[in-house]
Amino acid sequence: MLGKVMKYEFRSSGRLLWPLFGLTIAISGLMRLLLLVAPYIWRPLANIVQGFATTLGVLVPVVIFALAFIYVVARFFQSTMTDEAYLTFKLPVKTGTHIVARLITSTIYTCIAGLVAAVSAFIILLPYSVQFIGDMLSQAYLATGT
């Protein structure tokens, strides 16, 4: 029964979270595009565009992770304490199974939100990320000699 409860919890939470995750990746791509185009436009406007893109590039991963966490907590409250709880607890499943299903689902969605935030930050900071990874590997080569 745990699997069935989790399936419906994944569906209900995913209705909002999956489009939000996709929107986050799309916004990251747009911010990366703005950072690539900024040097080729009028200088005062370029500074504004770079500042805007950088600010959003920092805020978007943090906000998406926070929103996903808050939504997961609100979803838990909604399904256990509001009118929806009446229907939830009418199912022939133990209360502990409901709580464990929501805990597992919440943990998985929080981990996915962290992964999406990391991918979003990596997309925005792509040239710096690649250079940093290259520097890190070269330093490891120098330190180990292999």
Side-chain angles (χ1 to χ4, degrees):
M1 264 325 237
L2 178 66
K4 289 185 180 189
V5 173
M6 283 178 53
K7 178 176 87 170
Y8 289 107
E9 187 65 25
F10 271 117
R11 282 185 183 175
S12 63
S13 296
R15 284 187 197 120
L16 177 77
L17 291 177
W18 286 114
L20 193 64
F21 294 155
L23 183 66
T24 302
I25 299 298
I27 289 173
S28 299
L30 180 65
M31 292 304 112
R32 180 70 200 125
L33 185 66
L34 283 175
L35 286 172
L36 286 174
V37 172
Y40 302 108
I41 58 177
W42 185 46
R43 192 69 188 151
L45 184 61
N47 291 336
I48 293 170
V49 168
Q50 283 179 332
F52 178 73
T54 304
T55 303
L56 278 181
V58 171
L59 288 179
V60 164
V62 173
V63 167
I64 188 65
F65 185 75
L67 279 176
F69 184 76
I70 290 169
Y71 178 73
V72 163
V73 170
R75 179 84 188 109
F76 180 82
F77 176 78
Q78 178 186 5
S79 65
T80 56
M81 302 292 177
T82 63
D83 291 339
E84 185 180 323
Y86 175 74
L87 295 173
T88 300
F89 291 119
K90 285 299 243 184
L91 295 172
V93 180
K94 294 179 183 176
T95 306
T97 304
H98 284 292
I99 293 172
V100 168
R102 278 152 185 80
L103 178 67
I104 292 170
T105 306
S106 302
T107 303
I108 290 172
Y109 271 126
T110 304
C111 290
I112 291 172
L115 183 66
V116 167
V119 167
S120 173
F122 185 78
I123 288 172
I124 293 169
L125 303 172
L126 188 62
Y128 309 111
S129 303
V130 172
Q131 183 180 1
F132 175 74
I133 291 170
D135 290 343
M136 187 174 66
L137 290 175
S138 67
Q139 291 296 328
Y141 176 75
L142 291 174
T144 61
T146 58

